[in-house]
Amino acid sequence: MKLWLDGGLQDIESARVSVFDHGLTVGDGVFETVKAVEGRAFALTRHLDRLTRSARGLGLPDPDLDEVRRACAAVLQANPMPLGRLRITYTGGHGPLGSDRGDQGPTLVVALGATTRRPDSTAVITVPWTRNEHGALTGLKTTSYAENVVALARATGQGATEALFGNTAGRLCEGTGSNVFVVLDGEIHTPPLASGCLAGITRALTVEWTGAKESDLPLDVLEHADEIFLTSTLRDVQAVHRVDGRELAGAPGPVTAKAMRIFDERSGNDLDP
C-alpha cells in the first residue's frame, strides 16, 4: 500500500508524520472521507469544497486543491480496489505542545483503505450526550473526533452501527458519522444545518434528489417516525430497522427504498455531481 505524504507517494510501512504534528497533539486538523469506486472518487469536488470550508473555519491556510487532486489520483492509481475509503487529512502541521500553532506549514496525508457495500438496513441508538449547535467547531469536519469515538463504542456495545445525537435544545441533530432522515406521513425530513449537524455531502445530494425537507425536529421524533434512514459517504442511503428498543418492521420502508434507488441511479450516472 502507498499513501501521499510530504508531496509524494510513500510506502505505508515507512511513511511518518511528526509526533509534534498539531493534528496529533491537539486535534488541529480537518479531513474528508471520499468513496472510491473502481479507482474513481465520488463527489470529489464537493468534498474538496468542504475541506476548504473546514480549514478556513479552523483558521488553517486554504489547502492546495490541485495538490490534493493529484494526491488522490496517485493514491487511487497505486492501490487498485473495487470499493475504497479515500481519506484526506489536512492538519496544522508541526507545532508546539500547546494550542498555539507552529510556523512550518500544514501536513497533507491522503490514504486509501478497502471497504465493502453496507447492508440495506442497520440498528442505531440514541446517546445522552449532546451536540453543541453554537460551538466553535459546529459544522466543521475536524479531526477532533473523540466524542464520536466514545458514542460509537457505546453503539457497538449495544449491537448497533451508529449513535444519534440531539443538540443542546433537545432537537434531533446527527450521528457520529452520518446524517439522519425521518419519514412522516410520506414526506422525508432531515434536521437543518442550524441544528448543529454536519453539512454531509450525501445528505445534500439526497435532499436535492428526493425533495426532502429540512425541518426542526424533536429528538423523540425517532419514537414515532414511519421510517428512518441514514446517509453518509460509505453508507449512501441506509435504512434503520431498530432505534434503541424500537423495531421498524419491514425496513427499508417504501419511501426509504425509493430514496435508495434514486441515490444509486443518480450517483451511478455522475461520479462528480
Side-chain angles (χ1 to χ4, degrees):
M1 296 290 289
K2 292 186 179 291
L3 55 77
W4 183 279
L5 174 65
D6 292 336
L9 287 175
Q10 298 191 27
D11 291 329
I12 194 168
E13 294 83 3
S14 58
R16 296 290 183 269
V17 173
S18 170
V19 295
F20 292 103
D21 192 278
H22 235 213
L24 172 65
T25 57
V26 296
D28 179 24
V30 298
F31 77 99
E32 288 292 320
T33 298
V34 184
K35 182 173 66 173
V37 182
E38 298 293 349
R40 300 178 65 190
F42 177 69
L44 183 58
T45 298
R46 288 180 183 249
H47 280 285
L48 295 186
D49 288 345
R50 188 173 65 183
L51 183 74
T52 300
R53 293 196 304 271
S54 294
R56 290 175 179 174
L58 281 190
L60 293 172
D62 283 5
D64 180 343
L65 298 187
D66 289 336
E67 180 188 1
V68 179
R69 285 185 179 275
R70 288 196 306 272
C72 291
V75 169
L76 288 169
Q77 184 176 12
N79 305 287
M81 60 186 66
L83 186 63
R85 175 200 300 260
L86 186 67
R87 163 80 181 223
I88 305 165
T89 308
Y90 182 72
T91 79
H94 189 284
L97 291 175
S99 296
D100 48 326
R101 288 196 175 109
D103 57 7
Q104 296 188 28
T107 298
L108 172 66
V109 180
V110 178
L112 182 68
T115 188
T116 57
R117 181 175 170 83
R118 53 56 182 148
D120 284 343
S121 71
T122 193
V124 304
I125 67 166
T126 56
V127 291
W129 310 296
T130 58
R131 289 295 203 223
N132 179 5
E133 67 273 25
H134 306 297
L137 303 184
T138 300
L140 308 181
K141 194 170 180 69
T142 77
T143 58
S144 299
Y145 241 50
E147 184 177 72
N148 293 324
V149 172
V150 171
L152 188 56
R154 173 174 286 202
T156 301
Q158 297 184 25
T161 70
E162 183 58 302
L164 302 182
F165 293 90
N167 63 17
T168 64
R171 317 304 285 179
L172 182 63
C173 187
E174 63 179 352
T176 68
S178 67
N179 292 106
V180 57
F181 289 71
V182 299
V183 178
L184 302 170
D185 298 324
E187 291 188 334
I188 305 173
H189 300 262
T190 193
L193 299 183
S195 71
C197 68
L198 184 71
I201 304 301
T202 309
R203 171 191 181 276
L205 292 172
T206 301
V207 169
E208 292 175 21
W209 293 344
T210 68
K213 298 180 179 180
E214 293 184 295
S215 305
D216 184 37
L217 302 163
L219 183 60
D220 65 8
V221 71
L222 300 173
E223 298 174 7
H224 59 80
D226 302 319
E227 301 174 37
I228 303 169
F229 64 85
L230 307 176
T231 63
S232 75
T233 289
L234 298 179
R235 294 177 189 269
D236 293 334
V237 176
Q238 184 182 37
V240 170
H241 61 251
R242 175 170 60 84
V243 53
D244 294 327
R246 183 191 175 206
E247 299 286 343
L248 286 87
V255 177
T256 301
K258 182 178 180 180
M260 294 167 72
R261 289 195 302 271
I262 290 171
F263 192 89
D264 284 346
E265 292 170 3
R266 295 289 295 267
S267 62
N269 291 333
D270 185 359
L271 278 177
D272 201 19

